Amino acid sequence: MSQESRSFDVPTNDGMPVLGLGTWENDDPAQCAESVTTALETGYRHVDTAQIYGNEAAVGEGIAAADVDRDDVFLATKVWIENLAPEDVAASTRESLQKLDTEYVDLLYVHWPAGAYDPAETLPAFAELRDDGLIDRIGVSNFEPEHLDAATDALGEAPFANQVEMHPLLRQEELRAYADANDVELVAYSPLARGEILDDPAVGEIAEKHGVSAAQVSLAWLRESGVTAIPKATGADHIADNWASLGLELDDEDIETIDDLGRTDRQLNPDFGPDW
Ligand SMILES: NC(=O)c1ccc[n+]([C@@H]2O[C@H](COP(=O)([O-])OP(=O)(O)OC[C@H]3O[C@@H](n4cnc5c(N)ncnc54)[C@H](OP(=O)(O)O)[C@@H]3O)[C@@H](O)[C@H]2O)c1
């Protein structure tokens, strides 16, 4: 299934639904499958997983159980850092497809520029998977501008998307400018700052003004910034609350308040990560 022939009945950024379901640490297989099914039946059409999450099979089960065709879902997974040598990219991706019970994924990411990652070796292996129809788009994650430059050189084109931590407490202005200038989609992970956003007083005031949750404010801010968000939510209440953010429009004053927060609170900073 090529990206040209896909169309989604939800808002998209260059063909990628703007709101997806995150699944990191949704570890109980039955619960994870149920979260995915619930999300798809709520209207979500984008699901994010990764080899390292250990839940690809549960995600596949959740998709299969939903009353939604596989081809109507934008499915993304990520190749773990130990699998980034070319032969391991191919083998581990085939394993992911088997677990996900699908013939292709819409987006395959390099999870981190770390471990066995070498742009000149790793990215041609991703391009080969795309040529073979096993993946539709090539993505990267946790890349800084210099990594994106090297990836673009290796691929002969910019990657489709860069998935990074982003929320009102980590606004990623440099990466946003890079993405705009180079036609790279940004996908925000930890878009609720792993729950921290719920305790921010300024975001809380905006939420109160609109009669919505702080989670919705964060997700609407990302959407209005042209960024795709993939909040992780387990139960139907959080899944529905986050979905409702699609109906929230922030005003100029709200955007200004968030832009003026001046915070750089990063939730994820593993020792193998870049020197941000
Ligand atoms: N590429 C990468 O390196 C990378 C790194 C981190 C994450 N990710 C991806 O991004 C996804 C999201 O990031 P994340 O899981 O780190 O954090 P997050 O989405 O910012 O926050 C998830 C937390 O917020 C809670 N929550 C969700 N919706 C809520 C709502 N409406 N109201 C109150 N609480 C709510 C969840 O609880 P419940 O689970 O109880 O609903 C969970 O505890 C991950 O699941 C994963 O798919 C990628």
Side-chain angles (χ1 to χ4, degrees):
M1 181 72 44
S2 78
Q3 48 187 288
E4 287 77 25
S5 60
R6 309 292 298 285
S7 71
F8 295 97
D9 204 12
V10 291
T12 65
N13 286 323
D14 199 7
M16 170 171 56
V18 301
L19 188 66
L21 180 75
T23 62
W24 182 31
E25 294 180 335
N26 199 339
D27 291 329
D28 176 76
Q31 175 63 75
C32 179
E34 192 180 326
S35 304
V36 170
T37 304
T38 302
L40 294 176
E41 294 186 344
T42 300
Y44 288 71
R45 291 294 179 268
H46 177 171
V47 180
D48 182 87
T49 181
Q51 293 174 348
I52 195 70
Y53 301 168
N55 62 9
E56 288 174 309
V59 167
E61 275 169 37
I63 294 172
D67 194 15
V68 173
D69 287 346
R70 159 69 189 96
D71 288 345
D72 292 331
V73 180
F74 186 99
L75 179 58
T77 193
K78 313 182 194 81
V79 180
W80 185 238
I81 60 175
E82 288 164 4
N83 296 334
L84 290 168
E87 61 281 11
D88 298 334
V89 167
S92 72
T93 300
R94 286 178 193 279
E95 212 175 296
S96 289
L97 295 179
Q98 212 162 28
K99 288 180 181 161
L100 288 162
D101 193 20
T102 185
E103 288 173 5
Y104 68 98
V105 286
D106 298 272
L107 179 56
L108 185 73
Y109 294 99
V110 173
H111 205 148
W112 291 83
Y117 177 66
D118 172 349
E121 297 282 330
T122 305
L123 291 167
F126 273 59
E128 208 170 306
L129 290 173
R130 187 176 57 183
D131 291 344
D132 291 344
L134 301 188
I135 71 173
D136 251 5
R137 299 167 171 83
I138 298 170
V140 296
S141 180
N142 298 297
F143 275 38
E144 290 286 285
E146 66 271 22
H147 302 114
L148 289 163
D149 285 341
T152 301
D153 283 349
L155 272 176
E157 66 189 80
F160 172 73
N162 186 22
Q163 183 181 128
V164 294
E165 181 176 341
M166 186 172 170
H167 42 72
L169 310 180
L170 183 67
R171 296 192 323 288
Q172 297 284 25
E173 282 161 352
E174 191 188 357
L175 284 175
R176 277 161 80 184
Y178 186 104
D180 285 348
N182 295 283
D183 204 16
V184 176
E185 292 298 328
L186 273 184
V187 177
Y189 76 63
S190 307
L192 310 178
R194 301 185 61 73
E196 288 298 307
I197 208 71
L198 309 174
D199 298 328
D200 184 80
V203 174
E205 265 180 42
I206 298 171
E208 202 171 324
K209 181 175 110 185
H210 292 278
V212 299
S213 67
Q216 288 190 36
V217 172
S218 192
L219 298 172
W221 175 77
L222 287 161
R223 190 191 73 240
E224 290 181 10
S225 307
V227 172
T228 297
I230 48 166
K232 179 248 188 180
T234 307
D237 50 350
H238 286 169
I239 289 171
D241 187 40
N242 297 339
W243 187 247
S245 70
L246 292 177
L248 172 62
E249 283 183 29
L250 300 176
D251 58 37
D252 291 347
E253 192 190 343
D254 304 332
I255 304 282
E256 209 173 308
T257 302
I258 292 174
D259 285 346
D260 286 349
L261 283 176
R263 303 258 301 264
T264 46
D265 298 3
R266 192 180 287 282
Q267 301 297 317
L268 247 88
N269 193 15
D271 52 13
F272 56 79
D275 190 13
W276 311 102

